[in-house]
């Protein structure tokens, strides 16, 4: 199949020479026909093009790179900050001074301070087993950081495990006691204490000391899913009664009261006086169970053994042997796929003797491994300093050793993520060690000496680096920008370095000395563009040369020149070169996608790729297109034990051919490296989850980990599901901008009538955000450019209702007040409307002096039960990342944290979710994971149990099942059941 070669636009300034990547996109980069280039018909998305790449770069810089000269270094500093964050232990934060003389007192630095405190009535006295004192009402308006001490009732606390006592605040909007962090009990158990962050009603609560009652609390915690479901359908406590009947009448407790031997056999102590199975059952059935939040004791359990650090129990706790931490069964982040839509894979390597073992390096998803030839894959990285794999190599002399060079090098294009050096494994990926520092933070290739795994070369944006001690130390062989490095496996002292916008250099002594740039007919200087190198080996016939070592020939090929589409070859070590006819694998954004591969001992087989993939079976005399791969190609690994089998790394996963690359099929099931820009979830039944991906369409699932393409378009921004009706979905593909589906994503309509259109990249990416009015699916708000627009016919027509200061990039309705809505700009201005978004009713609720911090706002969250509670996040470095208002935007408070060691790291925040059961508890998505606070931003903790350390692009809550859903830029989607 012949290649369709699109015309390269001339430079707008009329000058000749190399255009930069950014200039190529800005002056009208051609679009590639994905079907013809790659053999894959993806419908109307049309593949990736220069405009998409520039919009991605705009998106990346706006949300992940503002306010700092070196985002990569700032990211590493934020990770170090996270690693140093102390996890809260009450004994480490004990207030000064002893027990208060009164029943309760407010103190600061051990000294009593005047504050409005009074004893109060418990609004839900039957909602917990563990009240340790009477509630105290705190009337402070100012005074955050003050300590409240409440003397404990000695008679009451006899039935509690004192070490578990924490302070709780009554949340009136949901009528539930919520745990307050930085609270606990004095060493002697005389008083409970809490560091105040807001006024309210406070009470100490602890876990029961009776092991049978504690066991019952654990059993109820394990059954929380059923209790929530039961409450949601209005059955009250029927499921709780069923649980009690099953456990006490038919299950574990049946007959135990009269059978001491059975109790002893379970490892449980005898029932205490006054507490037997009947009394226990009556206690449970007498609960005023707050739903959906549940018992206060459940919050204590989560505080004592939070899933992100594993179980920590006081040593004097009695834990029966049949208790297997049921509360941990459903805690932690869980991958939701997609298993079948894999993401951008930069490199793939194969075990030199075992064809079933393969490794793949994802653009920001770490290293993956398959032990069954690619049928199934497993992640081998989780918390490394960088998950962006730019180069990966396996040692031929010791296949348990691999080097993974981090940081994807795509100069001028984005998003691509920086690195932290080179990681090494000596056990096939089970564990990784960070090697010594190198001079590149974005790497392109790794080469390992064929007989000595300690000698390794890495090319990157900082040059060419060599280690002779297994990565402990590195020497800079070159300091120019190297797009590739090639080690001659037949003579390991011979090295070729490809220098971007310069040319090819050769060393014959392991990089100690370099010759002059290899010349004619090779392009040189800026005409060389992005260069890829590959080699094959063969023997010349014996009749020509009888000495075996003189018969060995290294067949060297270089891919470079205009759009990196010209192929050159040499059989004499680069002294002279020939050129293949035509252009092969050319693409203007060749730094983003580029492939050159040769079989080790078959120079007749040559692969050249860019958006599509071509091959030659006659040593470059002719080339033809191949069928079946995803667009954008990066690397091919050949099977040394099966001459016809090979695997290709693409933007859509790993593809396999069993016929020398003539045809390909996806071979990366469960390799979840999907880069998701967004995630959206239904609030009504049935369940629907979806998001926009990097170059793999806009996708959805109804529950399984196998997702489907909606056909809505390629690349793009948000995926928003109507909270009133799961059939209504809104997406913003970058090649169509705003589209609507009214049948769950099966068909789409473009709805741009009256909206500001996208400008020339990188000016704007068009519609930035959208919100649906609760209770009325016809009323929509959207933001784009400097306009807030409104529709009353579900987006068929739009009208501008407000002009913002800067670009309007976020809008939101209040969940419980259909008339209240907010809009935010990239300058940090927040606007409010109390008339369902109509024109003439928009204004800042605050005065100039009370505005929130300036910065690019990435999210607006409005309280689930309080339209005046507003939380916003920012993408900037070096400034607040979260701000909170409790009065509808009239006053704002920065919420980065005030407790030493428990502040948010300085990293862009991309989204925020307010907990529906505790408005003081927030979850914030950042570029290095999720963080949470339970005291409205006074102190923060990492919330990344089982979650990779990568960009969390968006975070949403599905209220009916109280579950967080996160989209990542490199590991697909995750969920966390709260």
């Amino acid at each position: 199949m012949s290649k369709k070669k699109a015309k390269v636009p001339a430079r707008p300034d009329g000058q000749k020479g190399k255009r930069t990547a950014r200039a190529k996109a800005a002056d009208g980069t051609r679009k590639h026909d994905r079907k013809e280039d790659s053999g894959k018909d993806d419908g109307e998305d049309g593949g990736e093009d220069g405009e998409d790449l520039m919009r991605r770069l705009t998106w990346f810089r706006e949300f992940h790179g503002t306010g700092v000269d070196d985002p990569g270094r700032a990211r590493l500093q934020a990770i170090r900050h996270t690693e140093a964050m102390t996890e809260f232990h009450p004994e480490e934060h004990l207030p000064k001074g002893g027990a208060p003389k009164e029943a309760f007192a407010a103190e600061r630095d051990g000294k009593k301070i005047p504050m409005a405190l009074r004893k109060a009535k418990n609004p839900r006295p039957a909602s917990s087993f563990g009240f340790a004192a009477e509630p105290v009402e705190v009337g402070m308006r100012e005074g955050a950081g003050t300590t409240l001490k409440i003397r404990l009732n000695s008679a009451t606390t006899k039935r509690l495990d004192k070490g578990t006592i924490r302070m709780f605040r009554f949340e009136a909007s949901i009528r539930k006691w919520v745990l307050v962090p930085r609270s606990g009990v004095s060493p002697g158990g005389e008083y409970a204490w809490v560091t105040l962050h807001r006024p309210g009603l406070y009470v100490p609560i602890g876990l029961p000391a009776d092991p049978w009652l504690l066991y019952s609390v654990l059993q109820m915690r394990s059954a929380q899913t059923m209790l929530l479901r039961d409450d949601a359908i209005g059955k009250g406590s029927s499921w709780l009664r069923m649980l009690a009947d099953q456990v006490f009448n038919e299950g574990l407790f049946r007959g135990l009261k009269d059978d001491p031997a059975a109790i002893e056999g379970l490892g449980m102590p005898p029932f205490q006086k006054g507490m037997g199975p009947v009394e226990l059952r009556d206690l449970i059935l007498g609960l005023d169970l707050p739903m959906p939040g549940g018992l206060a004791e459940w919050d204590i359990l989560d505080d004592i053994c939070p899933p992100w650090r594993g179980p920590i129990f006081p040593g004097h706790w009695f834990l029966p042997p049949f208790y297997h931490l049921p509360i941990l069964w459903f805690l932690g982040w869980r991958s939701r796929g997609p298993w079948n839509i894999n993401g951008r894979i930069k490199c793939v390597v194969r075990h030199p003797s075992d064809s079933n073992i393969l490794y793949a390096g994802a653009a920001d998803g770490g290293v993956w491994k398959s032990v069954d030839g690619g049928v199934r894959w497993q992640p081998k990285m989780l918390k490394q300093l960088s998950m962006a794999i730019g180069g990966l190599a396996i040692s031929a002399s010791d296949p348990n050793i691999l080097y993974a060079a981090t940081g994807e090098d795509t100069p001028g294009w984005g998003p691509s993520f920086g690195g932290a050096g080179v990681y090494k494994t000596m056990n096939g990926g089970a564990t990784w060690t960070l090697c010594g520092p190198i001079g590149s933070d974005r790497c392109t290739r790794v080469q390992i000496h064929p007989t000595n795994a300690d000698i390794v070369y890495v090319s990157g944006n900082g040059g060419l680096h060599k280690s002779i001690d297994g990565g402990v130390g590195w020497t800079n062989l070159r300091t120019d920008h190297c797009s590739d490095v090639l080690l001659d496996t037949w003579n390991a002292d011979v090295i070729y370095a490809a220098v971007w916008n310069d040319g090819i250099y050769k060393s014959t002594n392991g990089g100690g000395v370099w010759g002059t740039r290899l010349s004619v007919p090779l392009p040189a200087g800026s005409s060389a563009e992005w260069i890829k190198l590959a080699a094959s080996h063969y023997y010349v016939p014996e009749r020509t040369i009888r000495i075996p070592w003189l018969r060995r020939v290294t067949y060297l090929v270089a891919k470079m020149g205009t759009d990196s589409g010209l192929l050159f070859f040499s059989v004499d070590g680069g002294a002279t070169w020939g050129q293949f006819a035509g252009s092969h694998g050319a693409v203007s954004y060749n730094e983003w996608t580029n492939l050159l591969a040769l079989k080790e001992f078959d120079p007749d087989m040559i692969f050249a790729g860019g958006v599509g993939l071509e091959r030659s079976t006659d040593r470059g005399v002719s080339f033809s297109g191949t069928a079946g791969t995803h667009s954008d190609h990066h690397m091919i690994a050949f099977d040394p034990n099966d001459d016809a089998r090979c695997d290709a790394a693409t933007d859509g996963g790993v593809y396999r051919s069993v016929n020398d690359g003539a045809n390909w099929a996806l071979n990366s099931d469960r390799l979840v490296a999907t880069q998701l820009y967004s995630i959206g979830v239904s609030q009504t039944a049935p369940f629907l989850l979806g998001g926009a991906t990097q170059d793999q369409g806009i996708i959805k699932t109804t529950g399984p980990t196998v997702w489907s393409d909606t056909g809505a378009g390629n690349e793009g921004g948000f995926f928003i599901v109507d909270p009133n009706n799961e059939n209504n979905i809104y997406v913003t593909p970058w090649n169509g901008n705003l589209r609507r589906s009214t049948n769950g994503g099966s068909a789409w309509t473009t709805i741009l009538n009256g909206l500001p259109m996208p400008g020339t990249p990188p000016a704007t990416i068009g519609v930035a955000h959208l919100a649906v009015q609760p209770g009325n699916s016809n009323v929509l708000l959207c933001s784009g450019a400097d306009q807030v627009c409104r529709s009353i016919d579900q987006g068929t027509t739009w009208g501008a209702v407000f002009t913002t200061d800067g670009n309007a990039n976020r809008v939101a309705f209040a969940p419980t007040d259909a008339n209240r809505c907010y809009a935010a700009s990239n300058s940090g201005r927040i606007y409010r409307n109390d008339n369902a978004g109509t024109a003439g009713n928009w204004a800042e609720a605050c005065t100039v002096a009370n505005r929130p911090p300036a910065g690019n706002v990435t999210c607006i969250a409005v309280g689930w039960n309080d339209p005046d509670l507003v939380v916003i996040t920012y993408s900037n470095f070096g400034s607040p990342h979260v701000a909170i208002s409790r009065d509808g935007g009239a006053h704002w408070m920065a919420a980065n944290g005030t407790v030493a060691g428990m502040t948010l790291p300085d990293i862009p925040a991309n989204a925020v979710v307010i907990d529906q059961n505790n408005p003081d508890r927030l979850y914030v998505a950042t570029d290095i994971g999720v963080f949470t606070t339970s005291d409205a931003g006074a102190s923060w903790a990492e919330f990344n149990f089982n979650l990779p350390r990568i960009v969390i692009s968006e975070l949403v809550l599905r209220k009916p099942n109280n579950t967080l859903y996160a989209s990542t830029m490199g590991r697909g989607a995750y969920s966390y059941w709260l």
Side-chain angles (χ1 to χ4, degrees):
M1 182 174 69
S2 63
K3 292 289 294 178
K4 179 180 179 181
K5 184 70 170 70
K7 182 179 179 180
V8 180
R11 285 184 55 172
D13 56 10
Q15 300 298 313
K16 296 180 180 181
K18 165 76 174 176
R19 289 169 292 122
T20 65
R22 191 176 307 175
K24 285 188 287 188
D27 67 20
T29 298
R30 65 184 179 275
K31 296 186 178 182
H32 292 263
D33 182 338
R34 189 169 179 175
K35 180 177 180 180
E36 185 165 336
D37 276 351
S38 66
K40 180 178 176 69
D41 184 358
D42 283 322
E44 64 175 308
D45 67 358
E48 202 164 38
D49 57 43
E51 287 190 1
D52 279 350
L53 285 166
M54 287 310 297
R55 287 191 177 106
R56 183 185 302 122
L57 181 59
T58 300
W59 170 84
F60 182 67
R61 287 177 173 167
E62 182 175 4
F63 293 104
H64 308 283
T66 55
V68 67
D69 292 333
D70 188 348
R73 182 178 297 274
R75 182 179 185 275
L76 293 179
Q77 291 174 345
I79 291 174
R80 297 301 188 194
H81 174 107
T82 302
E83 292 174 338
M85 290 176 73
T86 58
E87 299 181 9
F88 178 72
H89 298 284
E91 62 274 11
E92 297 176 3
H93 298 266
L94 283 171
K96 297 179 181 179
K101 296 180 180 180
E102 303 87 352
F104 42 82
E107 300 178 357
R108 189 188 292 273
D109 297 325
K111 297 180 180 180
K112 184 177 178 180
I113 62 171
M115 184 173 285
L117 305 175
R118 69 179 183 87
K119 184 178 178 180
K121 184 178 179 181
N122 192 331
R124 294 193 78 163
S127 62
S128 169
F129 298 123
F131 291 110
E134 294 297 321
V136 172
E137 185 175 353
V138 178
M140 70 161 191
R141 299 306 300 179
E142 302 294 336
T146 300
T147 298
L148 171 67
K149 293 181 178 180
I150 301 179
R151 293 182 68 92
L152 299 178
N153 184 319
S154 58
T156 303
T157 54
K158 285 181 180 179
R159 55 182 176 79
L160 301 178
D161 185 330
K162 289 184 179 179
T164 69
I165 292 177
R166 301 289 187 269
M167 200 76 83
F168 285 70
R169 181 184 60 80
F170 189 72
E171 177 53 47
S173 63
I174 55 175
R175 292 190 50 76
K176 180 186 181 297
W177 291 102
V178 296
L179 186 143
V180 182
R182 294 184 296 147
S183 67
V185 67
S186 62
E190 305 92 349
Y191 65 92
W193 62 272
V194 62
T195 303
L196 297 169
H197 67 281
R198 59 180 294 193
L201 203 61
Y202 291 83
V203 73
I205 300 176
L207 291 176
D210 182 274
W212 291 101
L213 189 53
L214 173 61
Y215 177 78
S216 301
V217 170
L218 295 171
Q219 290 296 311
M220 285 188 287
R221 180 69 165 100
S222 300
Q224 184 176 355
T225 302
M226 293 301 297
L227 291 168
L228 283 169
R229 185 181 304 168
D230 184 62
D231 183 73
I233 60 177
K235 291 186 178 179
S237 60
S238 61
W239 205 90
L240 185 63
R241 180 174 296 278
M242 184 180 72
L243 174 68
D245 288 342
Q246 181 179 1
V247 172
F248 293 98
N249 292 349
E250 301 173 5
L252 176 70
F253 294 90
R254 185 178 183 182
L256 291 186
K257 184 175 183 180
D258 301 318
D259 191 353
I263 297 175
E264 185 178 351
L266 289 171
M268 296 290 286
F271 283 107
Q272 298 178 11
K273 183 178 180 181
M275 178 64 75
V278 174
E279 291 79 9
L280 205 54
R281 179 178 182 274
D282 290 344
L283 266 177
I284 292 176
L285 291 179
L287 276 174
D288 173 21
L289 190 64
M291 297 304 288
L295 278 178
E297 283 86 338
W298 299 349
D299 292 339
I300 298 176
L301 289 169
D302 290 347
D303 186 67
I304 291 173
C305 51
W308 54 89
R309 75 178 182 209
I312 297 176
F313 291 98
H316 59 282
W317 265 35
F318 176 84
L319 287 178
F322 50 81
Y323 168 55
H324 300 293
L325 297 181
I327 63 170
L328 296 182
W329 291 349
F330 43 77
L331 293 176
W333 289 96
R334 182 166 62 94
S335 174
R336 301 301 297 258
W339 285 359
N340 58 321
I341 300 174
N342 302 132
R344 182 170 165 86
I345 306 300
K346 288 291 293 184
C347 33
V348 57
V349 298
R350 187 186 292 277
H351 193 285
S353 58
D354 188 341
S355 299
N356 285 320
I357 298 178
L358 293 94
Y359 298 86
D364 197 36
V367 174
W368 291 71
K369 182 178 182 179
S370 174
V371 296
D372 54 13
V375 177
R376 297 289 186 272
W377 294 77
Q378 291 292 328
K380 307 308 292 184
M381 285 183 166
L382 187 69
K383 298 295 182 183
Q384 279 66 31
L385 295 178
S386 173
M387 303 284 278
I389 308 302
L392 182 66
I394 186 169
S395 170
S397 59
D398 185 349
N400 285 315
I401 296 177
L402 291 91
Y403 293 88
T406 63
E408 186 187 3
D409 193 17
T410 58
W413 306 102
S416 61
F417 300 91
V422 179
Y423 279 94
K424 177 183 180 181
T425 179
M426 301 182 69
N427 50 19
T431 58
W432 296 85
T433 301
L434 183 63
C435 298
I438 64 172
S440 290
D441 62 1
R442 294 174 182 270
C443 300
T444 51
R445 196 172 186 184
V446 180
Q447 293 272 272
I448 305 173
H449 192 284
T451 61
N452 187 345
D454 285 339
I455 300 177
V456 59
Y457 300 84
V458 175
S459 58
N461 62 341
L464 179 60
H465 321 288
K466 178 181 181 179
S467 176
I468 60 173
D469 53 14
V472 175
W474 297 84
T475 301
N476 290 337
L477 303 181
R478 303 189 64 90
T479 57
D480 34 24
H481 194 151
C482 291
S483 60
D484 208 353
V485 58
L486 181 65
L487 183 66
D488 190 338
T489 57
W490 270 7
N491 184 353
D493 287 331
V494 176
I495 307 167
Y496 299 90
V499 179
W500 182 40
N501 284 342
D502 186 351
I504 303 172
Y505 295 82
K506 178 181 178 180
S507 171
T508 58
N509 63 351
V513 177
W514 294 89
T516 58
R517 182 172 60 196
L518 303 183
S519 57
V520 180
L522 298 181
S526 60
S527 298
E529 298 206 17
W530 194 255
I531 307 168
K532 302 299 290 183
L533 302 172
S536 182
H537 298 92
Y538 66 93
Y539 288 93
V540 298
E542 184 176 355
R543 65 179 179 272
T544 306
I545 302 176
R546 295 185 179 276
I547 303 174
W549 67 270
L550 290 176
R551 292 167 44 214
R552 299 189 307 182
V553 175
T554 296
Y555 188 78
L556 182 67
V557 178
K559 185 174 184 286
M560 56 194 300
T562 304
D563 292 343
S564 192
L566 305 180
L567 295 179
F568 302 87
F569 65 92
S570 175
V571 296
D572 55 11
T576 60
W577 294 82
Q579 181 177 355
F580 298 131
S583 179
H584 309 284
V587 56
S588 59
Y589 40 95
N590 49 71
E591 302 91 345
W592 178 260
T593 172
N594 212 321
L595 179 149
L596 178 65
L598 277 74
K599 278 193 176 182
E600 175 66 14
F601 298 109
D602 183 3
D604 288 340
M605 184 68 66
I606 303 173
F607 290 89
V611 174
L613 181 64
E614 302 176 47
R615 70 165 188 158
S616 172
T617 59
D618 53 13
R619 203 171 300 191
V621 174
S622 61
F623 283 83
S624 60
T626 67
T629 62
H630 190 281
S631 60
D632 295 350
H633 298 78
H634 308 289
M635 188 174 181
I636 288 180
F638 298 96
D639 188 342
N641 304 307
D642 185 340
D643 195 54
R645 188 162 61 181
C646 50
D647 294 88
T650 77
D651 269 18
V654 177
Y655 284 75
R656 166 162 295 182
S657 174
V658 294
N659 58 2
D660 275 331
N663 303 99
W664 300 83
L666 188 64
N667 193 46
S668 46
D669 185 41
R670 305 188 191 188
L671 202 170
V672 187
T674 320
Q675 292 186 313
L676 283 166
Y677 295 106
S678 58
I679 198 164
V681 67
S682 62
Q683 298 295 341
T684 53
F687 175 84
L688 186 144
L689 184 70
T693 71
Q694 181 270 317
D695 202 25
Q696 294 194 86
I698 295 173
I699 61 176
K700 68 172 184 177
T701 179
T702 55
T705 47
V706 174
W707 295 41
S708 61
D709 190 342
T710 65
N714 199 39
E715 301 279 346
F718 59 69
F719 185 104
I720 292 174
V721 185
D722 183 344
N724 313 304
N725 184 344
E726 75 287 346
N727 287 310
N728 300 327
I729 307 171
Y730 299 89
V731 298
T732 46
W734 287 337
N735 58 354
N737 210 245
L738 183 58
R739 290 178 178 171
R740 176 191 68 208
S741 174
T742 57
N743 57 4
S746 297
W748 297 89
T749 301
T750 298
I751 51 171
L752 288 169
N753 185 16
L755 290 178
M757 296 298 292
T760 301
T764 176
I765 56 175
V767 175
H769 200 229
L770 181 142
V772 184
Q773 186 181 43
N776 187 349
S777 297
N778 287 318
V779 178
L780 310 176
L781 291 177
C782 81
S783 56
D786 61 350
Q787 297 294 311
V788 176
C789 298
R790 185 173 186 266
S791 173
I792 58 173
D793 53 14
Q794 211 172 350
T796 301
T797 58
W798 295 88
V801 292
F802 187 64
T803 301
T804 58
D805 178 78
N807 286 337
N809 53 1
R810 289 296 179 266
V811 288
F813 278 99
T816 55
D817 185 345
N819 288 315
R820 175 70 63 83
C821 47
Y822 298 89
S825 76
N826 63 356
S827 64
R829 304 281 283 275
I830 307 298
Y831 305 93
R832 172 177 154 181
N833 186 297
D834 290 323
N835 196 26
T838 54
N841 294 284
W842 289 91
E844 287 184 279
C846 60
T847 63
V848 173
N850 290 320
R851 281 175 179 162
N856 184 60
V857 176
T858 54
C859 184
I860 306 173
V862 186
W864 292 98
N865 304 288
D866 181 2
D868 285 334
L869 173 61
V870 191
V871 184
I872 57 176
T873 54
Y874 299 87
S875 64
N876 307 69
F877 287 93
S879 59
H881 300 293
V882 181
I884 299 175
S885 173
R886 295 191 179 279
D887 53 12
H891 298 84
W892 292 88
M893 174 186 70
N896 266 30
T898 57
V899 181
M902 303 177 75
T903 59
L904 268 178
D906 186 14
I907 195 75
N910 307 314
V912 60
V913 167
I914 302 171
D915 193 299
Q916 64 172 319
N917 298 315
N918 181 358
D920 283 354
R921 187 168 181 85
L922 310 176
Y923 306 91
V924 170
T926 77
D927 278 8
I928 56 173
V930 179
F931 294 83
T932 186
T933 177
S934 295
D935 50 16
S939 62
W940 291 86
E942 194 178 12
F943 195 68
N944 293 321
F945 184 56
N946 292 338
L947 190 66
R949 184 176 280 153
I950 54 177
V951 171
I952 311 300
S953 54
E954 192 165 6
L955 194 64
V956 295
L957 176 72
R958 187 170 193 258
K959 190 176 180 182
N961 61 350
N962 201 33
T963 299
L964 287 173
Y965 294 89
S967 55
T968 74
M969 283 300 294
R971 288 286 279 269
Y974 280 79
S975 66
Y976 192 111
W977 186 70
L978 298 173

